[in-house]
């Protein structure tokens, strides 16, 4: 029985589980699997090496620069706060402009509705006067 060095799989054990596969197919698969395991290990090693190289490139802050870092953090925090405040003011201005526009639309709609009622009332008044004149003219 041929034994796979990486996983301890034997060709005989595979033959028992896959009786319809030929010995040649089993041997080819075992060769492929060995190559796959080697490539997988090489990939893992390459990743470990890459991570080590990357970590070497990343510089840790010096202990002597703690005060400078604190100043930078304070400046960044102040800039962020200023930016957030300006953004909030802009949003509030947009919201107020929207509210004013909606109120203006509402007032204009109310004014149009009142004008229509007034026009309708004037028309009705004219009709009544006209009918009254007709009645007076016909009776006189």
């Amino acid at each position: 029985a041929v034994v796979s060095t990486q996983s301890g799989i034997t060709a005989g054990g595979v033959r028992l589980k896959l009786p319809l596969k030929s010995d040649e197919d089993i041997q080819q698969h075992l060769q492929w699997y060995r190559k796959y395991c080697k490539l997988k290990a090489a990939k893992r090693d390459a990743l470990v090496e890459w991570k080590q190289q990357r970590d070497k490139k990343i510089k840790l802050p010096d202990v002597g620069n703690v005060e400078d870092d604190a100043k930078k953090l304070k400046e960044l925090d102040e800039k962020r706060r200023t930016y957030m405040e300006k953004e909030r003011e802009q949003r509030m201005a947009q919201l107020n402009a929207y509210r004013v526009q909606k109120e203006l639309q509402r007032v204009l709609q109310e004014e149009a509705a009142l004008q229509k009622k007034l026009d309708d009332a004037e028309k009705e008044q004219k009709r009544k006067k006209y009918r009254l004149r007709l009645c007076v003219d016909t009776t006189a």
Side-chain angles (χ1 to χ4, degrees), residues 47-102:
L47 281 172
V48 167
E49 185 178 334
W50 173 80
K51 285 180 182 179
Q52 289 173 350
Q53 293 295 324
R54 183 194 61 187
D55 291 343
K56 285 180 184 178
K57 288 181 181 179
I58 296 174
K59 295 179 181 177
L60 296 174
D62 294 335
V63 177
N65 291 336
V66 171
E67 292 176 7
D68 291 342
D69 290 343
K71 285 181 183 179
K72 287 179 184 178
L73 285 175
K74 191 173 182 179
E75 289 173 6
L76 286 174
D77 190 44
E78 187 62 33
K79 286 181 183 179
R80 182 189 59 79
R81 204 174 327 191
T82 303
Y83 173 78
M84 295 297 283
E85 184 64 28
K86 285 181 183 178
E87 189 174 296
R88 186 174 94 40
E89 288 173 3
Q90 288 175 350
R91 283 186 299 204
M92 290 302 293
Q94 289 173 347
L95 180 61
N96 287 335
Y98 172 78
R99 287 177 178 165
V100 167
Q101 182 183 5
K102 284 297 180 181

